[in-house]
Amino acid sequence: MSNQTSVTEFLLLGVTDIQELNPILFVIFFTIYFVNITGNGAILMIVILDPRLHSPMYFFLGNLACLDICFSTVTVPKMLENLLSTSKAISFLGCITQLHFFHFLGSTEALLLPVMAFDRFVAICRPLHYSVIMNRQLCSHMTVTIWIMGFLHALLHSVMTSRLSFCGPNHVHHFFCDIKPLLDLACGNTELNLWLLNTVTGTIALTPFFLTFLSYFYIITYLFLKTHSCSMLHKALSTCASHFMVVILLYVPVLFNYIRPASSSALDQERIIAIMYSVVTPALNPLIYTLRNKEVRNALNKKVRRWL
């Protein structure tokens, strides 16, 4: 990479400029992170250990739980360290690595959600053909594909950002290394980087959101037209509502942060939005979606009783 970087490290300015709030924020974010690791870790463990959960739906849920753990781990530990430390430095290589894995895991999760919606579409609208359509080979291929696409999407941004020249200020107005704050510090022309961010990341966010919405539109239409059982209708709609809530919590803040034009006056707002989708949402996912699932809850209770 033929960059002209003279900056060897960056300083992450963190969540807030009010230093007195740092201990309180540390407790809050540590608690949320603990809930994330515990909740998603329990889901991942149950999906792996319980043979009754070895189905496409729970295979994708296991992937979602794994992604949520890793996604938060990219940013939260460093943020917690900086809340209690006077030194907020991160090396240039460490910064680019954090940027890469943040976008790798985030875009992979964004691509996973429409796959999960498609799984529910086949299960509800094509129940007799479900085992044939959602076979193990297809599930494996779809999962590998979205992980590879997420990696390549992140690689594009990390390589293009690392090739920029950073020769001036090194204070990143964020709690982790993200593309927009780093572009504000670059000395050269960043128009191509901004175009890639708006176009590629916009496509990664908008296309899965549209496909997810389309899947659930067909599901709801099918249920209202074909289903005469109130209990089945309620159960299916409950599953759809929970999953769609996860979709909204992830996609809306991401679209708001990355698609809109950059503005120096919106730095605090962008940090708050980033906290929502990188810290809070991964912790909420098991609570509002997976742990509401009766089969997962029963399997978890049995494992806990057996260990006790």
Side-chain angles (χ1 to χ4, degrees):
M1 290 182 287
S2 58
N3 58 29
Q4 301 174 353
T5 302
S6 58
V7 171
T8 59
E9 67 176 17
F10 293 100
L11 297 178
L12 299 172
L13 297 186
V15 179
T16 179
D17 299 327
I18 306 172
Q19 299 301 314
E20 291 77 11
L21 291 177
N22 285 348
I24 300 172
L25 292 175
F26 177 88
V27 173
I28 293 172
F29 292 136
F30 179 82
T31 303
I32 295 173
Y33 184 60
F34 179 79
V35 170
N36 174 12
I37 299 299
T38 305
N40 285 299
I43 291 163
L44 188 58
M45 176 192 65
I46 290 300
V47 168
I48 293 172
L49 296 180
D50 196 322
R52 291 168 299 180
L53 301 182
H54 291 176
S55 65
M57 175 181 176
Y58 298 108
F59 173 70
F60 295 132
L61 289 178
N63 272 269
L64 179 64
C66 178
L67 283 167
D68 281 335
I69 292 172
C70 297
F71 187 47
S72 284
T73 302
V74 171
T75 57
V76 177
K78 183 63 177 177
M79 178 181 68
L80 293 175
E81 177 190 341
N82 288 345
L83 285 172
L84 299 182
S85 173
T86 55
S87 173
K88 303 179 186 297
I90 182 171
S91 67
F92 181 83
L93 179 60
C95 189
I96 297 299
T97 302
Q98 188 182 54
L99 180 153
H100 174 79
F101 279 97
F102 178 81
H103 283 271
F104 166 36
L105 297 165
S107 56
T108 302
E109 181 165 337
L111 293 167
L112 177 64
L113 292 176
V115 173
M116 295 172 69
F118 175 72
D119 172 71
R120 291 300 83 207
F121 166 76
V122 177
I124 295 171
C125 302
R126 302 288 186 272
L128 299 178
H129 302 93
Y130 179 74
S131 58
V132 177
I133 298 173
M134 298 303 295
N135 57 69
R136 181 173 296 183
Q137 186 178 23
L138 178 65
C139 293
S140 300
H141 285 171
M142 287 195 297
T143 304
V144 170
T145 300
I146 62 176
W147 279 81
I148 291 174
M149 288 177 65
F151 180 83
L152 293 177
H153 165 248
L155 186 65
L156 171 67
H157 286 307
S158 57
V159 169
M160 292 301 295
T161 304
S162 67
R163 292 178 64 87
L164 292 172
S165 175
F166 295 94
C167 52
N170 65 342
H171 290 70
V172 180
H173 291 269
H174 217 309
F175 60 91
F176 68 95
C177 288
D178 201 3
I179 298 172
K180 275 189 176 181
L182 289 180
L183 294 184
D184 291 337
L185 304 179
C187 300
N189 191 321
T190 61
E191 287 184 5
L192 176 59
N193 298 74
L194 283 170
W195 182 84
L196 289 172
L197 180 64
N198 293 330
T199 305
V200 179
T201 304
T203 303
I204 290 287
L206 283 173
T207 303
F209 180 79
F210 173 75
L211 292 175
T212 304
F213 180 82
L214 190 64
S215 295
Y216 281 112
F217 174 78
Y218 276 116
I219 289 172
I220 293 170
T221 303
Y222 174 85
L223 289 172
F224 277 111
L225 293 178
K226 300 289 185 180
T227 304
H228 303 290
S229 169
C230 292
S231 60
M232 182 180 174
L233 181 62
H234 179 268
K235 182 180 178 181
L237 288 177
S238 177
T239 303
C240 294
S242 299
H243 186 197
F244 203 70
M245 192 183 302
V246 173
V247 171
I248 294 296
L249 285 172
L250 176 68
Y251 286 134
V252 172
V254 169
L255 289 170
F256 187 78
N257 236 17
Y258 289 104
I259 307 305
R260 65 177 184 157
S263 171
S264 58
S265 62
L267 292 174
D268 291 336
Q269 194 176 44
E270 289 184 3
R271 282 186 281 191
I272 293 171
I273 295 169
I275 288 171
M276 274 300 301
Y277 63 75
S278 65
V279 182
V280 178
T281 300
L284 289 178
N285 282 352
L287 299 177
I288 66 176
Y289 183 55
T290 313
L291 292 183
R292 290 183 60 192
N293 184 288
K294 187 177 179 180
E295 290 179 309
V296 174
R297 200 164 58 243
N298 289 341
L300 186 59
N301 289 335
K302 288 181 180 178
K303 288 292 181 184
V304 171
R305 283 198 299 267
R306 186 178 301 174
W307 290 334
L308 294 178

